[in-house]
Amino acid sequence: MKIEIVEGYDDIEVIIRCHKVTDDIHKLEYLLNAHAKKIFCTKEGITYLISINDILYFETVEKQSFLYTEAEVYELPLKLYVIEEMLSDSGFIRSSKSQILNIKKISKLCPDFSGRIEATIEGGEKLIISRQYAKLLKERLGIK
């Protein structure tokens, strides 16, 4: 791999030249975009660039990852652990084995008897925070 940095431009542009686009290339692309605080995703064959501020949560269903906003659901080719690494410092937290939640979008929390937490997010949707991740969520929010 060859990396070249050239100063003196008004904007940042990254060009990846490769023989074939692989999963590693996609990961690199997403990491670069996460730095810009936007995520590439697709819906019905069209690619969209979504601001992380508009994302409610991510979810994996049958080995496919999805990104949820208030109005739309998009697909993305990343595993949840990659998304979690990319956005860990941006207010996102793992809420279950198959979900990552934007804690800035939580409007209400309600504990249940089994140690889980029911989170109501913007738009009124309810998500379950599993016992395994409930303690971490409370710590991140400063709740006892």
Side-chain angles (χ1 to χ4, degrees):
M1 176 171 28
K2 175 183 169 188
I3 298 174
E4 180 181 345
I5 300 174
V6 181
E7 293 181 290
Y9 292 88
D10 293 332
D11 236 355
I12 297 173
E13 177 183 19
V14 177
I15 299 170
I16 300 173
R17 292 186 176 96
C18 57
H19 176 71
K20 183 179 176 184
V21 177
T22 64
D23 286 342
D24 287 337
I25 298 296
H26 281 298
K27 288 176 188 174
L28 182 58
E29 174 189 17
Y30 279 93
L31 288 170
L32 289 166
N33 285 314
H35 176 70
K37 303 300 182 193
K38 294 194 178 196
I39 302 269
F40 277 106
C41 52
T42 60
K43 181 175 182 177
E44 298 172 358
I46 300 170
T47 301
Y48 295 88
L49 190 59
I50 306 295
S51 168
I52 64 166
N53 296 326
D54 296 330
I55 299 169
L56 299 175
Y57 65 97
F58 297 91
E59 182 175 45
T60 296
V61 178
E62 296 180 4
K63 297 185 180 184
Q64 176 61 48
S65 297
F66 297 93
L67 176 158
Y68 294 81
T69 65
E70 273 195 62
E72 302 290 338
V73 178
Y74 302 92
E75 292 182 45
L76 61 163
L78 297 175
K79 305 267 186 218
L80 279 188
Y81 76 89
V82 175
I83 298 166
E84 185 177 22
E85 289 173 12
M86 286 175 18
L87 300 175
S88 63
D89 65 343
S90 299
F92 287 82
I93 188 169
R94 181 73 74 133
S95 54
S96 70
K97 287 182 178 181
S98 63
Q99 260 178 11
I100 296 173
L101 174 62
N102 184 347
I103 60 176
K104 298 173 194 166
K105 300 296 184 177
I106 296 172
S107 57
K108 182 169 82 173
L109 293 172
C110 182
D112 77 10
F113 297 109
S114 65
R116 300 179 310 172
I117 299 173
E118 181 182 85
T120 304
I121 56 176
E122 291 178 8
E125 188 170 354
K126 295 180 181 189
L127 303 173
I128 299 297
I129 310 326
S130 71
R131 283 189 326 227
Q132 181 179 356
Y133 299 101
K135 182 179 177 183
L136 179 60
L137 175 67
K138 289 178 182 180
E139 287 173 7
R140 290 279 294 272
L141 294 174
I143 299 171
K144 293 184 179 185

